Amino acid sequence: MNERVYIFDTTLRDGEQSPGCSMNFEEKLRMARQLERLQVDVIEAGFPIASEGDFESVKEIAKVIRGCSIAALSRATKGDIARAWEALQFAARPRIHTFIATSDIHLKYKLKKSREQVLDDTVQAVRFAKTLCDDIEFSCEDASRSDIGYICQIVEAAIAEGATVINIPDTVGYAIPEEYGAIIRAIRERVPNIEKAVLSVHCHNDLGLGVANSLAGVMNGARQIECTLNGIGERAGNAALEEVVMALRTRHEKVGLHTNVNAEEIFKSSRLLTSLTGMHIQRNKAIVGDNAFAHEAGIHQDGMLKNAITYEIMTPESVGIKHSTLVLGKHSGRHALKQRFQELGYQLSAEELEAAYAAFTTIADEKKQVFDDDLIAILQNEVSETPETYTLETLQVTSGLNLIATATVALKKGEEVSQDSATGDGPVDAAYHAIERITGIRGELLDYSIKSVSWGHDAIGEVHVKITIDGYVFNGRSASTDVITGSVKAYLNAINHASTARYRKDKPSDVKREGAAV
Ligand code: KIV
Ligand code: ZN
């Protein structure tokens, strides 16, 4: 068995309607485009009757997104359904999603209707929706607390009227996996026309079981999962898209089902949602949290360095994260420290490593995390008399159309500040020449890249440079909201690595490798 499970993303509907997650028109459009790149099968774009804003964004998303089905939610009334269709009509693949509650609790306290009335509403709603659109999804709200015989009756009627997808929500996140799987199995066994529709699961996370219940659902025959990025949604949220997709992928040998999602877009999608809503995820969030591929314990770091399979069940690259991180902190061991020094361009002898490790553990006891600059300081202060490095004191540039770009740079080394000016092909080139004049180190630029690591006008740009000096390659990195300052600091960072490495002339093999200090 290797059947496909359809991914129905409801980030823009069930997710967006929850506290702290609202998005405006442009933000929803941007998110929808990213969901299209992620290759979800269905984007539930909103609830058009709920507000003019929801209507307009569903309409626009329906017009511009051509690679996914677009669904819009409606209660089981003609007015809601007609409004949903008005917004959806231009979609390449429109789907009307209509729902009504089926549990006695909801019937008695919320709808104040009998089971017969709700059955009739279902029939009328699906029948009317089918006159507008081919693809009709019907949901039994609060299904997991509904009478199974009654659900089967309603589902059979909805399919008879032309429903193509039947969704069985655990609206209040009450079910546990075995029970929820049994509901799906019972529907498959007891509804005679069930093969004419796709069965769908929609699980909220009130007991933290949204993903587990969704998996139980598909293992019992459901073939669509409704979920949201980062698991946003009402109360404790919905099943997280990234978790269901990666669970199906990572445990394919066990579950035997696949999705069409382009998993390498997961991280980007998750970060975009966070930046649009300001709704942050916890560090240890599965798949996309800061710690999801970070290792600090010495034993784990040692295992990771020997073979990542020891402590990672999927690769960070598979979800669009560049690499795992070995966080240097008080739990780290000598192996990880040695490795990090190597990456910085230093091959320490056994005694040097011991001295560095002793200094490192003292710093790590005081700080949560030990960064590369701390490690270089350890080398300078504890291990050997490496020279002090340069820091940027001031930078002034002039450039423009038909002007020769000029830069004046002041660098501090120890207590001494030196200043010089130079011209160049643009302000960055001019500043690099000024640095060469001050340091006497001439680096040939092999690579320069700048990328935005945050959003908006004041986005932070991360600059990476790769330079070569006397045949040795050094990397430098910096992040700044000012791209020229960032570019100068990145170059200086590479020069600093070169100057400390040069000092260690006795070991040229130390630095004749790439990858230092990024
Ligand atoms: O949780 C739920 O029951 C829903 C339905 C409207 C599908 O979101
Ligand atoms: Zn829901």
Side-chain angles (χ1 to χ4, degrees):
M1 180 174 74
N2 183 16
E3 288 175 36
R4 166 141 166 220
V5 171
Y6 294 97
I7 295 296
F8 176 114
D9 179 277
T10 183
T11 303
L12 292 172
R13 198 279 297 170
D14 218 348
E16 201 267 347
Q17 74 188 33
S18 61
C21 294
S22 57
M23 286 174 252
N24 65 29
F25 180 85
E26 281 79 24
E27 289 166 341
K28 285 185 190 168
L29 212 60
R30 200 157 152 205
M31 198 65 241
R33 288 204 168 95
Q34 181 56 32
L35 288 169
E36 190 178 31
R37 282 191 282 275
L38 185 61
Q39 288 173 214
V40 302
D41 299 291
V42 187
I43 296 175
E44 186 165 49
F47 191 2
I49 197 85
S51 72
E52 197 54 34
D54 246 36
F55 175 83
E56 288 302 333
S57 51
V58 174
K59 191 169 165 189
E60 191 61 19
I61 290 169
K63 279 186 189 162
V64 303
I65 302 294
R66 309 317 279 173
C68 314
S69 293
I70 306 298
L73 188 67
S74 65
R75 287 166 298 186
T77 67
K78 277 197 169 174
D80 271 36
I81 294 169
R83 189 72 171 150
W85 179 245
E86 210 185 324
L88 276 179
Q89 58 186 314
F90 303 107
R93 278 179 277 144
R95 176 183 294 180
I96 294 176
H97 178 193
T98 188
F99 76 98
I100 193 162
T102 50
S103 69
D104 288 337
I105 299 172
H106 279 234
L107 265 60
K108 180 173 176 191
Y109 296 107
K110 188 180 84 174
L111 300 178
K112 301 190 192 315
K113 286 187 174 178
S114 66
R115 286 190 181 184
E116 290 70 31
Q117 282 171 307
V118 167
L119 177 61
D120 188 51
D121 286 353
T122 301
V123 169
Q124 299 307 329
V126 177
R127 187 176 292 167
F128 175 60
K130 198 72 182 177
T131 63
L132 306 171
C133 182
D134 279 345
D135 194 5
I136 306 297
E137 173 166 335
F138 172 74
S139 288
C140 308
E141 192 192 11
D142 205 19
S144 56
R145 293 193 298 170
S146 303
D147 175 70
I148 186 69
Y150 182 54
I151 299 181
C152 290
Q153 203 185 348
I154 290 245
V155 166
E156 185 179 348
I159 297 173
E161 293 301 331
T164 43
V165 180
I166 295 293
N167 185 37
I168 306 297
D170 181 20
T171 303
V172 288
Y174 178 71
I176 56 176
E178 195 193 14
E179 184 183 25
Y180 188 71
I183 294 173
I184 300 295
R185 195 166 58 245
I187 294 170
R188 287 193 65 219
E189 286 167 2
R190 289 164 62 171
V191 175
N193 54 2
I194 195 67
E195 295 306 329
K196 291 190 179 154
V198 172
L199 250 181
S200 166
V201 296
H202 177 116
C203 300
H204 280 267
N205 211 25
D206 299 67
L207 292 174
L209 294 171
V211 172
N213 284 334
S214 303
L215 293 180
V218 293
M219 290 173 87
N220 281 283
R223 287 294 174 267
Q224 174 178 281
I225 299 180
E226 304 200 356
C227 47
T228 58
L229 281 166
N230 296 348
I232 66 168
E234 289 287 351
R235 307 178 307 278
N238 291 57
L241 179 148
E242 61 277 8
E243 295 176 24
V244 292
V245 167
M246 292 315 289
L248 290 178
R249 192 165 150 165
T250 309
R251 298 308 311 277
H252 186 264
E253 91 296 348
K254 178 83 183 159
V255 188
L257 298 168
H258 71 276
T259 74
N260 197 38
V261 165
N262 177 5
E264 286 173 15
E265 290 290 323
I266 282 180
F267 184 64
K268 206 192 284 173
S269 308
S270 160
R271 289 296 147 123
L272 176 63
L273 180 66
T274 300
S275 73
L276 294 178
T277 58
M279 176 93 163
H280 289 274
I281 52 171
Q282 81 256 27
R283 282 189 79 100
N284 63 335
K285 165 81 183 64
I287 320 290
V288 289
D290 286 349
N291 286 1
F293 295 93
H295 309 264
E296 184 179 330
I299 294 171
H300 291 211
Q301 292 185 336
D302 181 52
M304 282 293 294
L305 290 167
K306 287 170 176 156
N307 190 331
I309 202 175
T310 52
Y311 287 102
E312 281 182 352
I313 57 167
M314 61 197 126
T315 66
E317 293 85 358
S318 66
V319 294
I321 296 174
K322 278 213 181 94
H323 49 71
S324 316
T325 25
L326 300 189
V327 177
L328 289 178
K330 66 177 176 187
H331 304 109
S332 304
R334 287 171 183 76
H335 194 169
L337 185 65
K338 185 175 174 199
Q339 167 81 15
R340 191 72 198 126
F341 273 125
Q342 270 175 9
E343 286 166 5
L344 290 167
Y346 303 96
Q347 192 78 42
L348 303 194
S349 68
E351 305 84 73
E352 284 173 329
L353 182 63
E354 271 318 304
Y357 186 67
F360 163 78
T361 49
T362 311
I363 294 180
D365 259 342
E366 288 159 16
K367 294 178 74 174
K368 280 207 169 82
Q369 204 175 325
V370 180
F371 297 98
D372 291 350
D373 286 346
D374 299 315
L375 298 184
I376 302 226
I378 287 175
L379 279 193
Q380 288 173 345
N381 300 332
E382 310 289 336
V383 179
S384 61
E385 292 169 10
T386 47
E388 296 192 59
T389 53
Y390 297 97
T391 51
L392 183 65
E393 276 284 292
T394 57
L395 167 69
Q396 189 184 27
V397 291
T398 23
S399 70
L401 189 65
N402 298 328
L403 281 178
I404 295 176
T406 317
T408 303
V409 175
L411 299 183
K412 188 169 184 189
K413 184 179 176 192
E415 289 310 305
E416 200 183 314
V417 176
S418 319
Q419 179 171 307
D420 213 329
S421 303
T423 57
D425 289 340
V428 173
D429 189 48
Y432 287 5
H433 285 152
I435 290 174
E436 281 164 25
R437 288 169 69 96
I438 298 169
T439 60
I441 302 176
R442 179 168 161 59
E444 194 184 321
L445 200 59
L446 290 180
D447 197 17
Y448 170 94
S449 69
I450 181 160
K451 79 170 184 346
S452 171
V453 289
S454 59
W455 304 95
H457 293 297
D458 56 352
I460 294 183
E462 196 173 78
V463 185
H464 286 254
V465 298
K466 188 185 281 184
I467 62 174
T468 165
I469 299 168
D470 301 337
Y472 298 111
V473 177
F474 301 93
N475 288 300
R477 190 192 68 116
S478 177
S480 171
T481 49
D482 174 344
V483 292
I484 297 180
T485 305
S487 304
V488 172
K489 283 188 170 171
Y491 183 75
L492 200 56
N493 187 230
I495 292 286
N496 280 334
H497 293 133
S499 69
T500 43
R502 274 184 160 200
Y503 177 80
R504 300 166 58 77
K505 274 200 184 84
D506 50 318
K507 290 178 188 162
S509 59
D510 294 353
V511 292
K512 198 161 188 172
R513 58 182 296 280
E514 277 193 36
V518 267

